[in-house]
Amino acid sequence: MDPAGGCPHADNARLLARGAVASVVLPGEVPGMAVLGHEALKEFLAHPDVAKDARHFTALTGGRIPDGWPLRTFATVQGMTTADDADHRRLRTLVSSAFTPRRVEALRPRIESLAADLLDRLEAAAAAGDGTVDLRARFAMPLPMGVICELLGMDERHQDRLHHLSNQIVATDIGPAEAMAANRELVELLSAVAAGRAEQPGDDLTSALITARDGGGDRLGPHELIGTLLLVIIAGHETTLNLVTNAVRALCTHRDQLDLVTTGRAAWADVVEETLRWDSPVSYFPFRYPTRDLTLDGTVIPKGTPVLAGYSAAGRDTSAHGPDADRFDVTRPSRTSAARHLSLGHGPHYCLGAPLARMEATIALEQLFRRFPELDVIVPDGELVRHASFVGNSVRTLPVRLRPDAGSAGG
């Protein structure tokens, strides 16, 4: 795996041509495997002999993974993403009891208001300059980060730092010292927020997580609480940030598809689903481990191997999505069929925040293109600098011009 990331689709196609499961070398020369094919991934994600707990990670338990390994946090953070069976059900119940559909739906007016405010600022920034602006930094990032900070009861002043630290944690090209420092600082920041909410509870998710108990009176332990907050911060904004960014890129390079939506022949929700499939916000997610030697699509994955879930590859698997799987098509019927994308997971670890991510992205895209219907990216897609990670799948910046004539007459 290239630690510097890059566009995954050409490599995915090459690997898929050889099979649904591939051997990979992770940073630090750690051997692993990746599941790329749609059906193989669907089976793997729900397989009873596949675990998330790092005690099944043979190289880690054998002392062969250093503390500064860039992917170590994915394996060792305590929370839903690294728990199995009864422990996972306990944690998910505690979190979902605070993260209810009612709480998510109640956020809709605030998301709409925040999006409108960000678009006001976006327009002002473009007018103050040459008519161009970085859409990722000024809209796609602060919208989900603002929502998640409000949901968790975190002060707005933390937003930029939280984004930087979560970026460091999902990066795969940083050194051990940087990785450890980012993880330590983020844990310290979240611990301070949790301590404040324990003393002065509010109507927010952090307070709800602190007080949440399951049917037996159990509650999140201190490390589980911080691990859950870390998960919510990273998954709650990085995924939506990439989703909105990738959707705008797709629509600007496929104006015919944008026209289908703006003329009512397709819905913004269709754009969100097709973007999730065609250019998944997450390329390869770490980790799962077979608890026995597991044969998947004719390939043996040895017990204890760290396995990446290849969401971006599965989204363009022609065996599931047809020979035109590499075509962006918002009218694609597979959105409601058995071949629906897996980009938000499958099985017991299906993304708990999926409804929120879908709502945020739909609102963001609808408001953005209603206000700026001729918005366009000013750099060819192939020349945009990619995110430095094979976990996240997007670009670092998205320079756009809001209106065709914005660069003339002083914007």
Side-chain angles (χ1 to χ4, degrees):
M1 306 301 297
D2 182 358
C7 183
H9 300 301
D11 286 341
N12 288 346
R14 176 176 54 82
L15 289 171
L16 274 170
R18 295 161 51 185
V21 182
S23 296
V24 298
V25 180
L26 300 169
E29 301 300 310
V30 175
M33 299 193 82
V35 181
L36 310 142
H38 176 94
E39 288 302 321
L41 182 58
K42 188 174 182 180
E43 178 184 352
F44 181 73
L45 294 175
H47 203 289
D49 296 320
V50 172
K52 294 278 279 178
D53 193 317
R55 66 188 175 88
H56 299 286
F57 186 174
T58 303
L60 181 68
T61 57
R64 299 192 296 277
I65 303 295
D67 286 343
W69 193 51
L71 296 171
R72 189 180 177 102
T73 298
F74 285 102
T76 59
V77 64
Q78 293 189 37
M80 289 185 298
T81 58
T82 54
D84 296 311
D85 304 324
D87 195 32
H88 173 251
R89 287 192 293 273
R90 176 183 70 88
L91 292 170
R92 193 172 176 99
T93 297
L94 286 166
V95 175
S96 62
S97 67
F99 210 107
T100 61
R102 177 192 60 80
R103 184 183 291 272
V104 171
E105 184 57 35
L107 288 169
R108 182 182 294 276
R110 179 59 187 138
I111 296 171
E112 292 173 343
S113 174
L114 180 57
D117 181 58
L118 288 169
L119 290 176
D120 286 342
R121 299 184 196 181
L122 189 75
E123 187 166 28
D130 63 355
T132 67
V133 67
D134 180 1
L135 188 76
R136 181 176 173 89
R138 292 185 175 271
F139 182 66
M141 188 280 282
L143 178 62
M145 179 57 87
V147 171
I148 213 66
C149 282
E150 287 192 21
L151 186 66
L152 292 173
M154 294 185 178
D155 197 290
E156 185 178 353
R157 72 179 191 274
H158 294 313
Q159 289 186 19
D160 288 343
R161 195 63 189 162
L162 285 169
H163 174 61
H164 171 75
L165 293 172
S166 65
N167 246 335
Q168 293 287 90
I169 287 175
V170 302
T172 52
D173 68 336
I174 65 174
E178 290 176 287
M180 292 174 69
N183 189 73
R184 183 168 54 250
E185 185 180 346
L186 184 53
V187 168
E188 289 173 354
L189 198 161
L190 295 177
S191 297
V193 170
R197 281 290 174 252
E199 292 180 6
Q200 293 184 309
D203 184 22
D204 55 76
L205 183 57
T206 302
S207 300
L209 289 172
I210 291 170
T211 58
R213 286 174 170 79
D214 64 13
D218 199 3
R219 62 194 299 174
L220 292 170
H223 294 295
E224 292 172 337
L225 174 63
I226 299 305
T228 299
L229 292 176
L230 187 148
L231 164 67
V232 172
I233 282 288
I234 294 176
H237 96 278
E238 288 279 351
T239 303
T240 308
L241 161 61
N242 289 349
L243 172 56
V244 172
T245 301
N246 292 355
V248 172
R249 291 170 47 227
L251 290 170
C252 287
T253 52
H254 300 80
R255 307 299 295 199
D256 60 322
Q257 299 298 300
L258 177 58
D259 185 60
L260 289 174
V261 187
T262 56
T263 56
R265 290 173 286 168
W268 290 108
D270 298 328
V271 175
V272 171
E273 297 307 314
E274 180 65 348
T275 303
L276 284 165
R277 180 201 71 83
W278 186 75
D279 204 11
S280 172
V282 175
S283 194
Y284 291 93
F285 193 80
F287 288 115
R288 285 172 168 81
Y289 322 94
T291 57
R292 62 171 177 82
D293 288 356
L294 184 69
T295 300
L296 197 65
D297 196 51
T299 299
V300 175
I301 305 177
K303 175 183 176 180
T305 300
V307 182
L308 301 171
Y311 295 118
S312 63
R316 296 198 186 190
D317 183 356
T318 56
S319 66
H321 302 290
D324 67 343
D326 63 349
R327 183 168 64 90
F328 182 73
D329 179 6
V330 298
T331 66
R332 188 176 297 274
S334 64
R335 188 167 79 85
T336 56
S337 75
R340 188 173 184 173
H341 68 77
L342 301 170
S343 291
L344 294 170
H346 177 70
H349 286 273
Y350 181 80
C351 178
L352 195 61
L356 178 59
R358 285 184 163 113
M359 181 194 297
E360 288 177 327
T362 302
I363 290 171
L365 294 169
E366 183 174 11
Q367 287 204 18
L368 176 68
F369 283 100
R370 184 174 65 225
R371 186 151 171 181
F372 307 113
E374 296 180 284
L375 176 147
D376 207 1
V377 181
I378 61 173
V379 176
D381 198 68
E383 296 178 16
L384 291 168
V385 178
R386 303 290 304 193
H387 196 51
S389 172
F390 58 74
V391 178
N393 172 42
S394 194
V395 294
R396 293 189 188 184
T397 62
L398 190 63
V400 303
R401 190 177 299 282
L402 303 181
R403 297 184 177 89
D405 60 348
S408 62

